[in-house]
Amino acid sequence: MGTWDIGPFDNDTAADFSYTVDEAGAGKKADVLRAAFREVTGTGDDYLDADLSVEAVAAAALVAAQCPGGEPVTTSYGPKEPLGVLPVELRAEAVAALDRVLAEPSELLELWEESDGEEWKAGIRRLRAVLAGTGA
């Protein structure tokens, strides 16, 4: 995975995921995000692949952008097409996915703990707080 910073879209996998979101029909974008969350939460206690985690984090950032206190996704690596208003129910699924990304066994967590782990985890926790409605 090519990664250049700690943001949700600062890697090749997330940029590719943005393209997948853009390619989904207007009424199907929420389904793409939901699928990313469910891929992660569906792993249970099994080892969680980094690529699945990266997609879920990117999807969570897109949902959080529509929450009070959420930051807009302005990076050129994010989706180019409008998402429309996303279902509020996606927020809880995003929170669950982020919780799983931060729980062992998680390849993405392991990779970040080898470098800027604390800064990256703080960013994920801020994203989770916005999604949970507990502030940033």
Side-chain angles (χ1 to χ4, degrees), residues 8 19 37 39 46-47 63 74 78 89 108 120-121:
Y19 179 77
F37 300 142
E39 284 282 332
D46 293 338
Y47 192 73
V63 174
T74 58
E89 305 84 58
L108 187 61
W120 175 79
K121 284 190 280 189

Side-chain angles (χ1 to χ4, degrees), residues 18-112:
S18 294
Y19 179 77
T20 301
V21 173
D22 278 341
E23 289 298 301
K28 299 292 184 186
K29 295 185 187 302
D31 294 337
V32 172
L33 304 182
R34 183 177 290 109
F37 300 142
R38 291 183 179 173
E39 284 282 332
V40 166
T41 58
T43 61
D45 293 331
D46 293 338
Y47 192 73
L48 178 57
D49 181 76
D51 286 346
L52 295 178
S53 295
V54 165
E55 290 181 358
V57 169
L62 295 172
V63 174
Q66 294 188 6
C67 294
E71 296 181 20
V73 175
T74 58
T75 177
S76 62
Y77 299 103
K80 312 287 186 263
E81 302 298 321
L83 296 176
V85 177
L86 298 171
V88 173
E89 305 84 58
L90 283 180
R91 295 175 188 180
E93 291 195 55
V95 167
L98 293 178
D99 287 346
R100 177 61 188 93
V101 167
L102 290 177
E104 292 291 347
S106 170
E107 182 182 21
L108 187 61
L109 177 62
E110 290 172 10
L111 290 169
W112 277 111

